[in-house]
Amino acid sequence: IDNDKKNHRRYHMRLLTLASVIFLTTVSGALASDFCDGFKVGYQTVKGNNSFVPFCPFEPLIPLNSTPFQEGIKAGIKAAGR
């Protein structure tokens, strides 16, 4: 019975590791978006081209008269001003 518990734990740990890898891969793909490109441009516009750019925030809902890149620029400028 003790061996069954160990195998059950190993299975759950492998499943958790796999889920974590999938999540991190998805998040890193989301970070490489037009919004994040705009965030970088906006941040570096204020702080300078050689500045360290923090992690890109989650992309908000985009207004109809804008683009993800433009909203990213606005978010980057706002973040650099803090």
Side-chain angles (χ1 to χ4, degrees):
I1 295 175
D2 200 29
N3 199 16
D4 286 341
K5 286 183 181 180
K6 286 182 183 179
N7 286 337
H8 194 66
R9 280 190 190 143
R10 282 190 192 130
Y11 172 76
H12 277 46
M13 287 303 295
R14 287 180 183 164
L15 193 61
L16 180 62
T17 302
L18 179 62
S20 298
V21 168
I22 291 171
F23 174 76
L24 291 174
T25 303
T26 304
V27 168
S28 67
L31 295 178
S33 67
D34 287 341
F35 177 80
C36 291
D37 291 342
F39 181 83
K40 181 178 179 181
V41 169
Y43 193 89
Q44 289 181 333
T45 298
V46 175
K47 295 287 188 177
N49 286 337
N50 294 325
S51 64
F52 171 77
V53 179
F55 285 114
C56 179
F58 287 110
E59 185 174 330
L61 292 175
I62 306 300
L64 292 176
N65 59 346
S66 189
T67 66
F69 187 79
Q70 289 171 331
E71 294 302 311
I73 290 173
K74 293 177 194 175
I77 290 171
K78 184 176 179 182
R82 289 187 218 142

